Amino acid sequence: MLRDLRDWAARRPMTLPEGQLPIPHSSDVRMIVWAFAGTDLVTGLVIDAVLPPAGRAIHLLWMVFSLVLSLGFCAMTARAPHLLDDRNLRLRTGPFRELTIPVEALGSVRVTHGATRGYGLRGVPDEDGAVACTVGSARNLVIDLEEPMPIRMRKGEPVLCRRIYATADHPGEAARLISRSRTGRAKP
């Protein structure tokens, strides 16, 4: 996270492996975290003005920790897009795990809007054979697989998955790109 924050602050370009196309995601979650970081900063300055001098050092450390954590999360998710190449689709969720799907296993991909409670790689409670792989609860892509694929969850037995819910900043463009990858025509 600190490396991503440093690279993001220095405006270093992301270096992606050869032949991999980025699919950005989670800009909505980053905007919320940015808003909380801004509010936290303003509130912290007001609190700092009323604290006795002995408490200001501890409060300053807490503010720096809070801002580094918030901005680091934003940098980490911005610098970890989903990756697509001619062999795999890699759905990434920053610190909350990732999922790699072989391109030949991909079926249909479509845009749909909804939510699945939680974050990271997780099962969808009301749908057997479905998992969600998102930073937040919002989802806007549905990926149906040609054949069920076993997916290992953090806890419990692997799930035989037929459908994967994900998110992308531009879901229509992402769906077209992923669909074209099945025929070997994935280009930006």
Side-chain angles (χ1 to χ4, degrees), residues 33-107:
V33 172
W34 269 106
F36 278 125
T39 304
D40 193 30
L41 182 61
V42 170
T43 305
L45 292 173
V46 171
I47 291 172
D48 195 56
V50 298
L51 280 176
R56 287 188 181 149
I58 294 170
H59 185 254
L60 178 63
L61 286 174
W62 174 253
M63 282 183 55
V64 168
F65 173 75
S66 176
L67 286 173
V68 166
L69 193 62
S70 297
L71 298 178
F73 175 82
C74 290
M76 186 173 20
T77 56
R79 296 184 64 83
H82 302 317
L83 298 174
L84 177 66
D85 61 23
D86 58 349
R87 293 179 298 142
N88 294 311
L89 169 63
R90 206 167 134 199
L91 300 174
R92 302 179 352 166
T93 61
F96 309 121
R97 301 190 63 204
E98 62 183 48
L99 175 61
T100 302
I101 309 160
V103 167
E104 63 269 4
L106 297 172

Side-chain angles (χ1 to χ4, degrees), residues 7-57:
D7 292 346
W8 180 68
R11 297 184 183 262
R12 287 192 182 107
M14 285 188 299
T15 54
L16 298 174
E18 184 71 30
Q20 295 202 331
L21 302 172
I23 301 173
H25 63 88
S26 304
S27 63
D28 56 340
V29 175
R30 282 192 300 279
M31 290 306 295
I32 292 169
V33 172
W34 269 106
F36 278 125
T39 304
D40 193 30
L41 182 61
V42 170
T43 305
L45 292 173
V46 171
I47 291 172
D48 195 56
V50 298
L51 280 176
R56 287 188 181 149

